[in-house]
Amino acid sequence: MRFRPCIDIHNGKVKQIVGSSLKDEGDLAVDNFVSAQDGAFYGNFYKKDGLAGGHIILLNPVDSKYYEEDKKQAALALAAFPGGLQIGGGMTAENAQEFLAMGASHVIVTSYVFKDGKIHYDRLEKMVAAVGRECLVLDLSCRKKDGAYYIVTDRWQKFTDVRVTHELLNDLSAYCDEFLVHAVDVEGKSSGVEEELIQLLSGWEGIPITYAGGVSSFDDLDKLKTLGKNHLDVTIGSALDLFGGKLPYDEVVQFMRTEGNN
């Protein structure tokens, strides 16, 4: 179990939001924390601790007036930690190479591939052709509906008909290097982890999976380690003191280096 840091960017600022509150119309979200620091600060911060494999998420849509400002912050972070961070948000086969050239190790894709409620394999194949399987992360962020977890797209606002199952993970793992899974219903709430989703993901053995959502304490990290069978990596955002929360960042890093891998 590894700690994967994050840099979420919305309206041109590094911030932490309540994931389920995000709305494209009006570029609205409920903010947990808005940083006075820029992307370079966080890129350098994670670089000094050797925390490669974290991700940047651009939370505004491509047609937002803020998207270019989001990109500027992302560029600062990538320049500070080249090859150390992945990036998602508006990635397509046409623009993905731009972000790799900026220093991203991987591009993270959801809405481009999961569109109109289903998987578009032609787009998935175009993305693989554009960046290579080794540079692609599929974001399977999901919400619970009718007792099952379904992938959500367009900054977590739209349900697809694609259910998260082991069969789906088997299928999609042929196209990508990793999965990123936000438990959207608890994302940004520091209310505890989504245990049922963790158990579902940990029961599958394949490429790396990073879980995000609800971590608020070291008890949550212990629970994630146990329920996740040490198979899942983890992202922590709003709960960290780095983003205005109560969990000491330095202690989390130390915990993950010792307890996380035992």
Side-chain angles (χ1 to χ4, degrees):
M1 185 168 74
R2 291 192 296 158
F3 175 44
R4 306 286 198 106
C6 63
I7 303 173
D8 292 348
I9 304 172
H10 183 247
N11 293 358
K13 301 285 187 180
V14 176
K15 62 169 68 173
Q16 288 291 312
I17 69 165
V18 176
S20 57
S21 74
L22 194 60
K23 298 287 185 291
D24 286 353
E25 186 175 352
D27 295 302
L28 299 175
V30 175
D31 295 335
N32 282 326
F33 177 83
V34 181
S35 179
Q37 305 291 344
D38 64 8
F41 171 86
Y42 291 97
N44 282 312
F45 204 90
Y46 299 146
K47 182 180 179 180
K48 77 175 174 58
D49 287 326
L51 296 175
H55 58 268
I56 301 168
I57 301 294
L58 309 179
L59 291 171
N60 292 101
V62 174
D63 59 359
S64 166
K65 63 182 180 180
Y66 293 106
Y67 188 75
E68 289 303 317
E69 292 299 316
D70 290 357
K71 280 180 63 177
K72 288 178 183 177
Q73 291 299 322
L76 291 173
L78 293 171
F81 196 1
L85 293 163
Q86 306 167 358
I87 189 167
M91 301 297 118
T92 69
E94 289 70 35
N95 69 9
Q97 277 292 344
E98 174 188 359
F99 292 95
L100 295 179
M102 287 164 58
S105 65
H106 298 68
V107 293
I108 305 168
V109 177
T110 309
S111 300
Y112 178 75
V113 168
F114 302 95
K115 194 168 180 65
D116 301 321
K118 60 184 181 180
I119 304 172
H120 287 252
Y121 283 95
D122 57 333
R123 289 185 166 211
L124 182 54
E125 289 166 359
K126 282 178 66 177
M127 184 61 76
V128 173
V131 302
R133 175 182 179 272
E134 69 280 1
C135 291
L136 181 60
V137 176
L138 287 179
D139 185 341
L140 307 185
S141 294
C142 54
R143 304 182 76 169
K144 198 170 188 181
K145 183 176 70 170
D146 300 327
Y149 289 97
Y150 290 86
I151 294 172
V152 289
T153 65
D154 298 282
R155 292 148 303 282
W156 308 328
Q157 295 168 76
K158 296 180 181 178
F159 273 95
T160 69
D161 297 326
V162 183
R163 184 175 172 180
V164 179
T165 63
H166 290 179
E167 291 73 21
L168 179 73
L169 298 176
N170 284 334
D171 182 23
L172 296 180
S173 63
Y175 297 91
C176 63
D177 197 43
E178 298 182 8
F179 294 123
L180 171 64
V181 183
H182 290 84
V184 176
D185 289 325
V186 297
E187 175 69 21
K189 296 180 180 178
S190 297
S191 58
V193 294
E194 189 84 21
E195 295 184 20
E196 189 176 341
L197 177 59
I198 290 169
Q199 290 174 314
L200 170 63
L201 297 174
S202 68
W204 181 79
E205 295 187 18
I207 61 176
I209 300 176
T210 298
Y211 168 87
V215 175
S216 61
S217 66
F218 288 101
D219 285 343
D220 283 332
L221 288 175
D222 282 328
K223 188 177 294 183
L224 180 62
K225 178 183 174 183
T226 301
L227 295 177
K229 302 175 184 176
N230 228 13
H231 291 164
L232 305 180
D233 293 339
V234 62
T235 287
I236 309 170
S238 297
L240 289 177
D241 60 358
L242 189 61
F243 298 115
K246 296 180 180 179
L247 270 181
Y249 166 85
D250 290 336
E251 292 181 23
V252 169
V253 172
Q254 185 58 35
F255 176 91
M256 295 299 291
R257 286 175 174 164
T258 54
E259 300 300 320
N261 292 312
N262 291 334

